[in-house]
C-alpha cells in the first residue's frame, strides 16, 4: 500500500494546482480500485460495483477538494465523454489537458468502455463545475481518473461491468433525482421539425417560410424552427446585428406566426443569446457588462452576473412567445458563457459566478415563456449538455455537422446517453439535390434514435426523395416512444456505433450501419430493423420461434413479405435481404 501511494503521489503532484498538498489513499469496497483523496472523504457501496464517494474540504465547507482513482486498463477499447475526446473515443494519455466543465459546457460524466461494450469504469459527479481528467498512465498501463472542485463533491463510480449504456443511464437517473422539480418535456419537442438554417441561411421572408411550412406539414414535420437572419437585412453571416432582436425580416410577425399555425406547425425562433453585436443599437449600452470580446464575430458576450443584462435579454427573447405568439425559442451559443478566465464582477453584479448568472437568466426565460404558453419549448445544443440545464430546456440538438450522417449519428447517440428526460434532436439534415432516395433514407436512419430536423428546399425534392423522406418521418413519428424513450444499447463506441438498439416494452428497434449480424433475442412483439449499409444481407441471430416479416425499400414500398423462422436448424442464423435505406419489420 505504501508503494502504491508513492507511485500515485508522483502523478498527482504535477496536476495539483491548489488544495491540500498531502492526499490520502483510501480503498473502494469490493471494487479493487484505490482512491486518492484531498479532503475529508466518505465512501459507501450502493450496490454491487457501484460506489458513492463524498469529499468535503478539510476544516470547512469552503475550499478545493480533489479525487483520483485508477484501475488496470485491461480489455479497454474506448474512453467515452459527452463533450468529445476525438473521433472514435480513443484512449487519451494521462497527461492530456484536463476538461473544465461548467453549466454552459460539458457534463461531469465519462466512461472507460471495454470489449463487448462493458462499462469498465463509469462515473458522474453531482456538481456541474468541476475540472476533470483521465487517461492511460504510461508507466503502469493503468487508467487514471481525477476530479477537482471548489467545494463539496459527490461522485458515483460504477465498475459493475454491465453495458456502458446501462451504467450511464443509471447515472443520469441519479442526476434527475437530485433536481428539485420534475423536468417537463412537451410532446411537440419530440416531433420532426423543419429548420431554415441550411436550406435558407439568412435569406428569410414570411413568404418563403410559409411556403416551406405548407410543404413540410404533409411530409410529417410539425415544428418550424426559424434560424439566423430574421433580425437583420444584412446577409453577410456575421453576428454584428445581434442584440436588439427586432424582426426586420419578419414584418407583421404575429400575423405571420398565425399563418404558420394555420398550416399545422408550431413555431420556434433562434436567438444567439449571449451576443450583442457592433452594429446593434444597444452596443454602447452593454460595454460595461462585457464577459468576453469576440472580435472575429463582430460581437461581445454580455455578462449574466448583472441583473440589468438578465432583465434585458429575458425581455427581448420572451417577446417572441408573449407578443408574437410563438411556441418556443432556439437559444444558441450558450457555451460562449464558458469563459475560463472571466473578469471579476463589478459592484452591480448580484451573482458570484458566471454559472449562477446563466442559471438565473435561463430560469427567468423559462418562467416567462411558460407563463405565456405552458407548453413552450427551448432548444439548446451540444456541447452545453449539463444536467444543470435540464430545468430550463426541453430539447438538445446535436452539434453542427452538415451532410455528415456518421457524425450526426455519433453526436445524437452521445447526447441521448447523457440527456436524461430531454428530447434529443439531430443536427439539421441536408443533402445535395442529386442525392438518391436510398441515401436520403440513410440520413434519416443515422438519426433514428433522435428527433429529426430537416433543412432542404422542399420545393426541389424529387419524387423519390419526397417518398423516402415521408416514409421515414412516418416511421419515426409512429414509433417515437421506443426510438426516443427506449432503453438504448449502442454498440462499439470505438467504431462510431455501427449498430444501435432500443427496447421499450414489447417493441424493439435496431439500426444497422455496417454489415453486422443482428441479434433478434428478447421479449419483443414487434422488431424494427433499419438497414443503412450497402450490404443488403441482414443476418439474424439468437432468435427463437417464427415471425411475420415485411421488407420495405427506402421509399416504403413493400418488396417482400412472409413468415420466417427466426433461427435455422441447430440454431443457425437466418439471412434476410433488406435494401439499403430499407426497413425489415418483424411481428410475432
Amino acid at each position: 500500500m505504501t508503494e502504491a501511494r508513492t507511485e500515485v503521489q508522483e502523478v498527482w503532484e504535477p496536476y495539483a494546482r491548489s488544495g491540500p498538498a498531502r492526499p490520502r489513499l483510501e480503498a473502494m469496497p469490493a471494487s479493487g480500485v484505490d482512491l486518492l483523496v484531498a479532503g475529508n472523504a466518505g465512501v459507501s457501496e450502493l450496490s454491487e460495483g457501484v460506489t458513492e464517494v463524498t469529499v468535503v474540504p478539510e476544516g470547512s465547507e469552503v475550499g478545493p477538494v480533489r479525487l483520483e482513482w485508477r484501475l488496470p486498463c485491461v480489455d479497454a477499447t474506448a474512453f467515452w465523454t459527452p463533450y468529445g475526446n476525438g473521433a472514435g473515443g480513443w484512449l487519451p494519455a494521462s497527461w492530456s489537458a484536463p476538461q473544465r466543465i461548467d453549466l454552459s459546457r460539458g457534463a461531469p460524466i465519462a466512461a472507460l468502455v471495454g470489449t463487448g461494450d462493458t462499462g469498465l469504469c463509469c462515473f458522474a459527479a453531482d456538481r456541474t463545475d468541476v475540472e476533470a481528467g483521465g487517461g492511460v498512465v504510461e508507466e503502469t498501463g493503468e487508467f487514471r481518473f481525477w476530479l477537482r472542485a471548489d467545494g463539496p463533491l459527490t461522485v458515483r463510480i460504477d465498475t459493475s461491468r454491465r453495458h456502458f449504456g446501462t451504467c450511464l443511464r443509471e447515472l443520469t437517473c441519479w442526476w434527475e433525482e437530485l433536481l428539485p422539480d420534475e423536468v417537463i418535456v412537451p410532446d411537440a419537442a419530440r416531433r420532426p421539425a423543419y429548420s431554415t438554417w441550411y436550406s435558407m441561411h439568412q435569406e428569410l421572408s414570411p413568404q418563403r417560410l410559409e411556403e416551406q411550412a405548407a410543404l413540410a406539414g404533409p411530409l410529417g414535420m410539425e415544428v418550424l424552427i426559424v434560424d439566423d437572419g430574421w433580425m437583420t437585412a444584412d446577409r453577410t453571416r456575421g453576428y454584428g446585428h445581434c442584440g436588439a432582436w427586432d424582426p426586420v425580416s419578419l414584418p407583421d410577425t404575429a400575423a405571420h406566426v398565425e399563418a404558420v399555425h394555420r398550416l399545422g406547425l408550431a413555431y420556434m425562433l433562434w436567438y444567439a443569446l449571449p451576443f450583442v453585436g457592433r452594429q446593434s443599437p444597444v452596443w454602447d449600452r452593454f460595454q460595461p457588462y462585457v464577459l468576453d470580446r469576440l472580435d472575429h464575430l463582430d460581437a461581445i458576450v454580455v455578462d449574466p452576473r448583472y441583473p440589468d443584462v438578465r432583465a434585458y435579454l429575458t425581455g427581448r427573447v420572451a417577446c417572441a412567445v408573449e407578443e408574437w405568439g410563438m411556441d418556443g425559442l432556439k437559444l444558441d451559443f450558450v457555451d460562449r458563457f464558458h469563459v475560463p478566465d472571466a473578469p471579476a464582477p463589478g459592484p452591480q453584479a448580484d451573482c458570484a459566478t458566471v454559472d449562477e448568472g446563466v442559471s438565473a437568466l435561463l430560469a427567468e426565460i423559462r418562467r416567462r415563456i411558460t407563463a405565456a404558453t405552458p407548453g413552450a419549448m427551448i432548444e439548446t445544443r451540444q456541447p452545453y449538455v449539463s444536467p444543470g440545464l435540464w430545468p430550463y430546456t426541453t430539447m438538445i440538438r446535436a452539434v453542427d455537422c452538415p451532410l455528415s450522417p456518421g457524425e450526426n449519428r455519433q453526436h445524437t447517440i452521445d447526447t441521448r446517453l447523457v440527456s436524461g428526460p430531454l428530447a434529443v434532436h439531430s443536427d439539421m439534415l441536408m443533402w445535395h439535390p442529386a442525392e438518391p432516395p436510398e441515401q436520403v433514407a440513410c440520413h434519416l436512419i443515422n438519426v433514428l434514435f433522435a428527433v429529426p430536423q430537416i433543412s432542404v428546399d422542399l420545393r426541389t425534392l424529387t419524387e423519390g426523395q419526397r417518398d423516402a423522406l415521408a416514409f421515414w418521418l412516418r416511421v419515426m413519428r409512429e414509433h417515437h416512444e421506443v426510438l426516443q424513450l427506449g432503453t438504448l444499447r449502442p454498440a462499439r463506441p470505438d467504431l462510431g456505433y455501427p449498430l444501435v438498439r432500443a427496447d421499450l416494452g414489447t417493441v424493439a428497434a435496431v439500426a444497422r450501419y455496417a454489415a453486422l449480424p443482428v441479434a433478434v433475442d428478447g421479449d419483443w412483439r414487434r422488431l424494427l430493423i433499419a438497414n443503412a449499409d450497402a450490404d443488403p444481407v441482414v443476418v439474424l441471430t439468437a432468435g427463437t420461434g417464427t415471425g411475420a416479416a415485411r421488407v420495405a425499400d427506402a421509399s416504403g414500398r413493400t418488396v417482400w413479405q412472409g413468415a420466417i423462422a427466426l433461427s435455422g436448424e441447430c440454431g443457425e442464423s437466418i439471412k434476410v435481404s433488406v435494401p439499403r435505406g430499407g426497413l425489415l419489420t418483424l411481428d410475432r
Side-chain angles (χ1 to χ4, degrees), residues 283-429:
W283 172 260
D284 291 335
R285 171 179 171 179
F286 286 98
Q287 292 309 302
Y289 307 116
V290 176
L291 180 65
D292 197 12
R293 294 192 178 274
L294 306 175
D295 294 334
H296 63 296
L297 298 181
D298 206 24
I300 58 172
V301 175
V302 292
D303 194 334
R305 291 175 291 186
Y306 294 88
D308 288 349
V309 171
R310 299 197 302 274
Y312 175 81
L313 293 179
T314 298
R316 294 310 300 155
V317 304
C319 173
V321 177
E322 294 174 338
E323 298 182 24
W324 302 333
M326 296 184 182
D327 305 281
L329 310 172
K330 174 177 179 172
L331 299 182
D332 210 350
F333 296 109
V334 173
D335 54 327
R336 290 292 182 171
F337 287 123
H338 174 86
V339 179
D341 298 316
Q348 294 177 314
D350 63 351
C351 294
T353 67
V354 174
D355 276 7
E356 290 176 24
V358 172
S359 181
L361 170 63
L362 295 176
E364 182 59 15
I365 291 173
R366 182 71 187 266
R367 186 194 68 78
R368 285 275 295 269
I369 68 171
T370 54
T373 301
M377 298 173 283
I378 293 179
E379 179 196 287
T380 56
R381 174 173 56 86
Q382 282 180 311
Y384 31 107
V385 293
S386 168
L389 296 180
W390 291 0
Y392 316 127
T393 187
T394 56
M395 57 245 245
I396 308 175
R397 180 175 65 82
V399 73
D400 299 34
C401 51
L403 231 171
S404 183
E407 187 179 2
N408 217 345
R409 173 176 79 245
Q410 292 181 63
H411 289 321
T412 53
I413 296 300
D414 284 345
T415 307
R416 274 289 308 274
L417 291 170
V418 77
S419 62
L422 302 181
V424 172
H425 283 230
S426 72
D427 185 41
M428 294 77 72
L429 301 185

Side-chain angles (χ1 to χ4, degrees), residues 483-558:
L483 296 174
Q484 296 181 38
L485 300 172
T487 300
L488 200 64
R489 290 177 63 87
R492 299 300 300 272
D494 54 314
L495 298 180
Y497 307 126
L499 193 76
V500 181
R501 175 168 175 157
D503 290 85
L504 185 66
T506 59
V507 183
V510 178
R512 174 183 182 265
Y513 306 104
L516 298 175
V518 177
V520 292
D521 54 345
D523 297 326
W524 52 268
R525 297 287 299 277
R526 166 163 286 189
L527 174 63
L528 308 175
I529 302 175
N531 180 35
D533 189 71
D535 183 355
V537 180
V538 177
V539 179
L540 309 181
T541 66
T544 58
T546 61
R550 176 181 179 267
V551 177
D553 66 11
S555 298
R557 293 183 291 266
T558 299

Side-chain angles (χ1 to χ4, degrees), residues 126-424:
D126 70 331
R127 54 186 299 158
T128 60
D129 54 336
V130 297
E131 192 173 22
V136 175
V137 180
E138 298 173 356
E139 293 81 0
T140 65
E142 295 171 299
F143 199 91
R144 166 180 176 263
F145 295 87
W146 64 266
L147 290 170
R148 180 192 176 280
D150 292 322
L153 172 69
T154 298
V155 180
R156 285 198 175 179
I157 301 172
D158 188 327
T159 56
S160 63
R161 302 182 72 88
R162 295 170 294 170
H163 189 281
F164 81 100
T166 300
C167 300
L168 293 173
R169 183 184 182 93
E170 288 191 3
L171 291 171
T172 58
C173 287
W174 173 53
W175 279 343
E176 196 169 358
E177 294 170 2
L178 298 176
L179 297 176
D181 300 302
E182 181 185 4
V183 176
I184 305 298
V185 178
D187 184 64
R190 301 193 182 278
R191 298 298 180 177
Y194 182 86
S195 171
T196 64
W197 181 238
Y198 295 141
S199 58
M200 299 184 190
H201 288 105
Q202 293 183 315
E203 301 294 337
L204 303 178
S205 70
Q207 179 181 358
R208 293 192 71 189
L209 294 170
E210 291 166 28
E211 185 177 36
Q212 294 295 319
L215 297 170
L219 288 170
M221 288 161 265
E222 300 184 37
V223 181
L224 173 66
I225 303 176
V226 175
D227 213 291
D228 189 3
W230 63 270
M231 73 298 178
T232 176
D234 183 85
R235 297 295 181 251
T236 58
R237 298 269 292 269
Y239 297 99
H241 295 273
C242 295
W245 301 114
D246 294 322
V248 174
S249 295
L250 300 178
D252 201 359
T253 311
H256 160 61
V257 172
E258 179 55 33
V260 172
H261 283 165
R262 288 196 298 270
L263 293 169
L265 275 71
Y267 201 123
M268 297 179 69
L269 194 62
W270 172 90
Y271 289 87
L273 184 64
F275 293 169
V276 169
R278 191 178 301 276
Q279 281 74 49
S280 168
V282 297
W283 172 260
D284 291 335
R285 171 179 171 179
F286 286 98
Q287 292 309 302
Y289 307 116
V290 176
L291 180 65
D292 197 12
R293 294 192 178 274
L294 306 175
D295 294 334
H296 63 296
L297 298 181
D298 206 24
I300 58 172
V301 175
V302 292
D303 194 334
R305 291 175 291 186
Y306 294 88
D308 288 349
V309 171
R310 299 197 302 274
Y312 175 81
L313 293 179
T314 298
R316 294 310 300 155
V317 304
C319 173
V321 177
E322 294 174 338
E323 298 182 24
W324 302 333
M326 296 184 182
D327 305 281
L329 310 172
K330 174 177 179 172
L331 299 182
D332 210 350
F333 296 109
V334 173
D335 54 327
R336 290 292 182 171
F337 287 123
H338 174 86
V339 179
D341 298 316
Q348 294 177 314
D350 63 351
C351 294
T353 67
V354 174
D355 276 7
E356 290 176 24
V358 172
S359 181
L361 170 63
L362 295 176
E364 182 59 15
I365 291 173
R366 182 71 187 266
R367 186 194 68 78
R368 285 275 295 269
I369 68 171
T370 54
T373 301
M377 298 173 283
I378 293 179
E379 179 196 287
T380 56
R381 174 173 56 86
Q382 282 180 311
Y384 31 107
V385 293
S386 168
L389 296 180
W390 291 0
Y392 316 127
T393 187
T394 56
M395 57 245 245
I396 308 175
R397 180 175 65 82
V399 73
D400 299 34
C401 51
L403 231 171
S404 183
E407 187 179 2
N408 217 345
R409 173 176 79 245
Q410 292 181 63
H411 289 321
T412 53
I413 296 300
D414 284 345
T415 307
R416 274 289 308 274
L417 291 170
V418 77
S419 62
L422 302 181
V424 172

